[in-house]
Amino acid sequence: MSTPLESWVEESARLTKPSRIVWCDGSQAEIDRLAAEMVRDGTFDQLNPKSFPNCYLHRSSPNDVARTEGLTFICSRKKEDVGPTNNWMAPAEAKDKVRPLFDGCMASRTMYVVPYIMGPAESPYSKIGVEITDSAYVVANMRLMSRMGKVALDRLGASSDFVPGLHSVGDLNPERRFILHFPEEKLIWSVGSGYGGNALLGKKCFALRIASWMAREQMWMAEHMLVLGLEDPSGKVTYMAAAFPSACGKTNLAMMVSALESEGYRVWTIGDDIAWMHIAKDGTLRAINPEAGFFGVAPGTNAKTNPNVMNAIHHDTIFTNVAMTESREPWWEGMNAEAPGNLIDWHGNRYSPGKATAAHPNSRYTVRASQSPSISSHWEDAAGVPISAFIFGGRRARVAPLVYESFDWQHGVFVGATMASETTAAATGAVGVTRRDPMAMLPFCGYNMADYFAHWLEMGRKLKNPPKIFHVNWFRRGPDNKFLWPGYGENVRVLKWMLDRIEHRADATETPIGFVPTANSLTLDGLSISRTMLDELLHVDVNDWVEEDQAVGKFFEKFGSRLPAALREEHKALGERLSGSSVATR
Ligand code: GTP
Ligand code: SPV
Ligand code: MN
């Protein structure tokens, strides 16, 4: 008798009609064989084997370079369960529409069966997924991003407890591209894209959209968050989880080389993109990183901004849509001041400096997490690490100060629910448009965002000492339009202030939006930043915030009566604090 997995593989093969089926074991021999095949068929360019051993460059189709949010659907039975911020299709209708695209799509191609574990192999919080795909590039990425192959099959056995995900690159035409989630069945269908979050189904599709639905049912959290440990001079490590929208600094914060290292402050990486968090028996919130690798933004990464990444990506790394130098090394904007001559751009053409960039703005590296010098010795702890703070953040040229602390959990949930950020190249569409992106989950929450807010409020009630909640903005600009804050390794100064707040030893000023550091409470030794710039960074402009408050009101209206009353209360209270203070300051 066949196992549930074998039955699903047979059923998928009957639909997609591959010429052969390969069960992936995750071994080195397997990836060597696949990489050689991909070099032969042009999917991979081999990079310099001396300076970048086992590294490859993949150039994706130019219309397939980022997540496509407009083509991403949650297919629940009831439309109201996905809410106003998700695209919805009825399950049967979605299947009828997309099944023909899968019909025979793997004819004369190989079907890879990719079993994987999201989370450490031994953790009770980990979950199994199986991706069926016709893309060898996807297999190679899943091998770095998850615990893939034999280890997953061994854990699964004959059980039916896995999330199936059927993927085909199809014809890569966006007109025939659909990323479908069936949360009630815990099933994923993705066709027409070979890129990142659209195609590596363990990542955003399972670990966020499907998992967030499960997490709500089972009282845990699946969040678009990095997890880091901040070590203090005594050696004590405090864990923090931070949600910033796509391409807004999670990887860089999680992997930073601390500017306060000589004072004994270091940052250790647990994860850079996704956190699964459970309430432990002792009432603490424990986080695991469901992933095993980093799919990080390349542009802007260099030896100063992120030396840990630069060290990590010199071997066994896949580069996607970066440029290539004469000596077959990867290159992207921001790696060094000037582009080297004779570059090959991300299209594979000779690069002529001008308007276009040599690397795509959303070009990425895929590397195992264990290759980073910053990886924590606890990153695979089965029980996870205890979270003491949540940090929300966005990319805002104006309005949001460098950092502020919420008054309490409920206010913190309001801060997360109302955060906004300028859009980036991580998703197709306009870049630089400010939009509300609650908890950085706008593209990833698998159910009605109003219910998600309620879930956050409920989690706070269940936790013994709910984490403190902060908001940061590394991207505020001055009158000259330059960033006011140096960012990257200097961000540890803000983390240190948070730690000092957690331990009740840092001062703060109470403002209508929350507690903002006093100028003296931030450790700024060795940093050349003028008092004017600092004041500007920490400034809470009442007029700006009144506008912000109005935008929040409009955003909340979308959710109608499903919006938790507590958030309405918080909105009202902010309005009152703002009108009180505008009177006071005039
Ligand atoms: P996803 O993988 O898309 O979820 O993104 P992410 O949140 O991990 O973003 P990442 O850390 O990769 O940063 C995205 C871009 O922002 C890169 O170009 C970085 O160089 C840049 N960046 C990150 N941190 C900072 C910072 O502190 N200051 C400034 N100015 N730029 C930053
Ligand atoms: C993001 O867009 O938030 C990413 C990259 O982390 S992707 O895997 O494409 O979702
Ligand atoms: Mn992400």
Side-chain angles (χ1 to χ4, degrees), residues 244 391-394 396 398-405 470-477 483-488 490-495 497-498 513 515-519 522-524 527 529 533-540 545:
F244 310 155
I391 309 169
F392 295 120
R396 303 285 311 257
R398 296 169 58 231
V399 187
L402 178 65
V403 57
Y404 62 99
E405 179 193 333
F470 298 89
H471 187 282
V472 299
N473 177 22
W474 315 138
F475 302 93
R476 197 164 184 166
R477 292 173 192 262
F483 292 126
L484 287 160
W485 180 249
Y488 301 104
E490 305 293 349
N491 292 334
V492 73
R493 299 172 191 276
V494 175
L495 300 183
W497 182 77
M498 292 172 184
I513 64 166
F515 296 111
V516 172
T518 56
L522 283 170
T523 306
L524 298 174
L527 188 64
I529 185 163
M533 274 165 91
L534 187 62
D535 287 346
E536 182 117 9
L537 270 167
L538 297 176
H539 183 56
V540 177
W545 278 94

Side-chain angles (χ1 to χ4, degrees), residues 204 224 244-253 272-273 295-297 299-301 364 395 426 474-475 483 485-488 491:
K204 298 302 172 34
H224 191 205
F244 310 155
S246 302
C248 289
K250 290 182 300 300
T251 303
N252 282 279
L253 190 70
D272 83 320
D273 197 48
F295 182 60
V297 175
T301 309
R364 302 221 170 211
R395 190 182 273 273
W474 315 138
F475 302 93
F483 292 126
W485 180 249
Y488 301 104
N491 292 334

Side-chain angles (χ1 to χ4, degrees), residues 76 80-82 127 183-184 186 208-223 277-278 445-456 458-459 462 562:
S76 57
E80 51 286 16
D81 286 344
V82 313
K127 293 191 181 297
E184 283 125 345
K186 315 278 186 279
L208 287 178
R209 298 195 190 95
I210 297 287
S212 63
W213 183 292
M214 293 176 163
R216 175 170 172 248
E217 288 176 339
Q218 302 160 7
M219 219 49 223
W220 53 281
M221 304 170 99
E223 300 295 332
M277 292 170 286
H278 289 77
C445 182
Y447 60 101
N448 192 317
M449 206 94 199
D451 300 345
Y452 170 78
F453 299 152
H455 181 58
W456 264 83
E458 177 75 11
M459 286 295 294
K462 292 236 157 42
R562 213 142 160 164

Side-chain angles (χ1 to χ4, degrees), residues 30-162:
E30 175 179 88
I31 191 63
D32 291 347
R33 203 166 54 237
L34 271 179
E37 269 172 37
M38 284 192 275
V39 169
R40 269 200 302 279
D41 72 17
T43 305
F44 268 175
D45 247 1
Q46 179 150 25
L47 294 173
N48 188 318
K50 284 215 178 76
S51 49
F52 285 85
N54 289 324
C55 290
Y56 301 93
L57 165 58
H58 171 70
R59 298 186 188 94
S60 65
S61 164
N63 65 24
D64 187 31
V65 294
R67 284 181 297 98
T68 41
E69 294 175 4
L71 306 174
T72 301
F73 293 81
I74 309 291
C75 309
S76 57
R77 283 192 292 269
K78 288 198 218 133
K79 182 169 189 211
E80 51 286 16
D81 286 344
V82 313
T85 59
N86 277 310
N87 301 311
W88 176 81
M89 262 195 271
E93 182 202 330
K95 285 189 180 168
D96 288 348
K97 188 167 180 155
V98 173
R99 195 180 294 106
L101 300 179
F102 278 115
D103 192 356
C105 69
M106 295 189 194
S108 76
R109 298 165 90 153
T110 302
M111 170 195 271
Y112 300 97
V113 181
V114 184
Y116 61 91
I117 308 177
M118 296 310 283
E122 307 300 330
S123 174
Y125 304 134
S126 298
K127 293 191 181 297
I128 294 176
V130 182
E131 175 162 0
I132 289 179
T133 179
D134 53 9
S135 162
Y137 166 80
V138 164
V139 175
N141 276 274
M142 286 296 289
R143 182 170 172 275
L144 300 178
M145 294 302 296
S146 68
R147 283 96 177 159
M148 184 272 259
K150 184 173 181 308
V151 63
L153 274 190
D154 287 351
R155 179 162 159 156
L156 181 65
S159 162
S160 62
D161 192 9
F162 64 94

Side-chain angles (χ1 to χ4, degrees), residues 407 410-411 414-415 418 512-513 545-546 548-554 556 563-581:
F407 297 119
Q410 179 173 303
H411 177 235
F414 173 79
V415 168
T418 57
I513 64 166
W545 278 94
V546 166
E548 188 74 4
D549 191 45
Q550 282 160 358
V552 164
K554 276 221 182 84
F556 275 180
L563 187 80
L567 293 189
R568 258 183 238 290
E569 264 167 43
E570 288 295 335
H571 182 227
K572 188 159 166 266
L574 172 62
E576 285 166 6
R577 288 193 301 270
L578 285 167
S579 58
S581 98

Side-chain angles (χ1 to χ4, degrees), residues 24 58 81-82 90 144 155 200 214 261 312 350 362 367 401 412 422 444 461 469 473 480 539 554 565 573 576 583:
C24 295
H58 171 70
D81 286 344
V82 313
L144 300 178
R155 179 162 159 156
L200 311 177
M214 293 176 163
E261 202 166 295
R350 183 137 298 220
N362 191 37
V367 65
E422 292 150 18
F444 308 121
R461 284 189 285 272
I469 299 181
N473 177 22
D480 59 359
H539 183 56
K554 276 221 182 84
E576 285 166 6
V583 171

